[in-house]
Amino acid sequence: MNLHEYQGKELLKSYGVAIQEGTVAHTVEEAAQAYNKLAEETGSKFAVVKAQIHAGGRGKGGGVKLVKSLDDLKEKADNILGMMLKTPQTPGGMEGPGKLVRKILVAEDAYVPSPDECDEFYVSVLMDRERKCNVIIYSTEGGMDIETVAEETPHLVHKEYIDPTLGLQGFQTRKIAFNLGLSGKAFKEMTKFISSLYSAFVGADASLFEINPCLKTGDDRIIAVDCKVTLDENALFRHKDLAAMRDTDEEDPTEVEAKEYGLNYVKLDGNVGCMVNGAGLAMATMDIIKLSGGDPANFLDVGGTADAARVEQAFRIILKDKNVKAILINIFGGIVRCDRVAQGVVDAYKNMGNIDVPIIVRLQGTNADVAKKLIDESGLAVKSAILLREAADLVKEAVA
Amino acid sequence: MSVLVNKDSKVIVQGFTGKEGSFHAEQMIEYGTNVVGGVTPGKGGQEHLGKPVFNTVADAVKEAGADTSVIFVPPAFAGDAIMEAADAGIKVIICITEGIPVQDMVKVKAYLNGRDCRLVGPNCPGVITPGGAKCGIMPGFIHNPGRIGIVSRSGTLTYEAVDQVTKAGMGQSTCIGIGGDPIIGTTTKEAVELLMNDPDTDGIIMIGEIGGGMEAEAAQYIKAHGTKPVVGFIAGQTAPKGRTMGHAGAIIGGAEDTAEAKMKIMEECGIHVVASPATIGETMKKALQG
């Protein structure tokens, strides 16, 4: 689950991580109030307006603007709120439709009054799958795309692995601060920054923190100017406050609906929908669709209980996508009996009236023969198969 | 022989009296697995499914001689259950539970380090040695005792491979579902190594998916030490970057996470890589003949 920048900063601040201060606003009026409050606190007329959407590279599409007065702020807040912001990370990239901006963050301009004395660093925390421990990745090359830095100047990207039983040690925070070339007050601030950042990561059961840029200000403070926070969905049961931060406006509406039904659905761009039990088999089914000349329209794992109600919900979800020209149902019945699933398909089909795309049902496992007979004798325009190869051939026919 | 579990394994079920635990323990017993009891804290001394219930894994080891545990404990407590099994001296710990927080598994892995036990899973269908022991949630009847070993990160996709092997006239020595999480106990390479060293396994089917470097590691091992044909498949050739595909571990971050990259390395290492999951069984049959 992803957080907005302002939510991520709230989380970091609660663990004592210094951040670029700011207030979220949904309207120009709220933005003006936030600006006035900020101006009072900082004594500066400079501020930054940042579009809050779940995508990076917001500056490139005009979603981050510097403002120098209240009027300037009102104008730019008005421009950004409600815009369709295109970034390299929004669906379709800079050529796509962009994402609607519903809120903005009005934040201090942390670079004033001495931008020349500022330094931008990169700091991220994540779990390293190979070493099975958390790792802090950092670089002096902040404010840039870290993948580019890693490719062009790999020696400037450092990693610090954290012992799972002992946690982050003092020498590690010092090493990081020294490697970033810091000394004096900034050095101390950085060690504090890193250690509270790591506490927040573990405390919130995060799977990714990316602070880019992490800024050394002119007066030697170290603050998070931007932050990307991803949380471990599996750990949300012990973080009710964080779970409540989910912003479903940022997610695909069909995926949100599927989740409510307990279906694991990911929308894709193809023309053949699929409904499968099990994640691995679902991915493999998508691959079969591709090999048969189609393109998968979705990933959909119906889980262990593929009864009529669930199959019907899955049908409805898949059919919301108007690109879908055929549907392949692929169920390997183990504990779930295939004849039950087949009955579910028939009932769901009848309940929905007419489904005007061809449906291919492949049921294998417990009672597969009974299930095939049930489908074949139902009188519905559903083609059935038992072997995966047969199903692949039927998909080939359907997309031809 | 077979690996990990067989008819002599003394199996307990953690989360024995719960809904999932009860249902699958019953199926395991029906299959002929030597289930010697189960653990549910607070219900020690009772009997369930005709087997004794223990308060702790340590009691089950002491009183019933348990050496293998299958865990059905809910995600919030599953990490703790794994560590309890390891501490009690269980040798083969099979964790079925899906949805354990990653940071819990980081701690569990560190805890298991250096201990004389093997964890399989979590988020897996379990391990079965057909005709010997079924330790997990897989449908027993699709399996057939034989000489093909199967290693897989997935549940139903493993059943698919098992079924194709059986239909092609072969059978399975041991099928190991290693699990779909980012941090798991036994890796692809470790499971392949077990089967490579098993005198009763003639061929190995290795089913991977997008995300992580486990298949590449296994492929390098096979290149260096392989003595038997290996058929490989990677699910998720059509998966988009940056999206979790059902399994928490199935996500493409970098270039090495893609199915394409994994299939290329596997091919280079001499594995019979199939693009279509429909041809796993026949490819194994041909590989054994050739």
Side-chain angles (χ1 to χ4, degrees), chain B residues 132-152:
Chain B
K134 168 175 129 74
C135 297
I137 59 175
M138 63 291 280
F141 78 97
I142 59 170
H143 299 82
N144 195 25
R147 301 183 64 84
I148 305 299
I150 299 179
V151 178
S152 170

Side-chain angles (χ1 to χ4, degrees), chain A residues 126-130 132-134 147 162-165 198 201-202 205-207 232 234-235 237-238 252 255 264-268 276-288 290-291 295-296 298-299 301 330 332-335 362 364-367 386-389 392, chain B residues 23-24 27 75-76 99-104 106-107 109-111 134 137-139 141-142 153-154 156-157 159-160 163-164 167 181-184 187 209-214 233-241 243-251 275-279 282:
Chain A
L126 51 105
M127 197 274 297
D128 184 284
R129 285 174 74 157
E130 308 311 317
K132 298 163 181 68
C133 67
N134 298 326
E147 280 164 22
I162 318 300
D163 186 301
T165 46
Y198 188 72
F201 182 83
V202 175
D205 273 297
S207 44
D232 180 0
N234 286 341
F237 69 85
R238 56 188 175 208
D252 181 284
E255 291 182 14
N264 202 331
Y265 171 86
V266 177
K267 165 134 178 39
L268 302 169
V276 189
N277 66 333
L281 191 60
M283 281 187 274
T285 304
M286 286 160 46
D287 297 344
I288 288 238
K290 180 83 180 172
L291 291 166
D295 273 306
N298 65 275
F299 166 95
D301 178 3
N330 185 11
F332 199 103
I335 307 301
R362 185 267 181 159
Q364 174 64 293
T366 316
N367 293 0
I386 289 187
L387 295 179
L388 201 45
R389 172 187 299 281
Chain B
F23 178 80
H24 291 290
Q27 302 260 327
I100 303 179
V102 174
Q103 292 298 325
D104 288 8
V106 168
K107 287 188 198 118
K109 275 299 272 189
Y111 184 86
K134 168 175 129 74
I137 59 175
M138 63 291 280
F141 78 97
I142 59 170
R153 281 167 72 179
S154 150
T156 43
L157 184 54
Y159 311 160
E160 178 68 45
D163 190 61
Q164 287 182 27
K167 291 220 160 65
D181 274 359
I183 296 191
I184 53 174
T187 61
E209 57 194 31
I210 53 167
M214 287 200 307
F233 172 73
I234 301 289
Q237 297 162 49
T238 48
K241 193 180 174 206
R243 298 297 308 265
T244 306
M245 305 302 278
H247 289 153
I251 178 165
S276 165
T279 58
E282 61 189 74

Side-chain angles (χ1 to χ4, degrees), chain B residues 14 57 71 77-89 93 104 107-112 115:
Chain B
Q14 285 175 260
V57 180
I71 298 176
F77 314 104
D80 182 71
I82 296 169
M83 293 190 281
E84 181 184 356
D87 178 64
I93 305 164
D104 288 8
K107 287 188 198 118
V108 167
K109 275 299 272 189
Y111 184 86
L112 296 184
R115 283 171 197 266

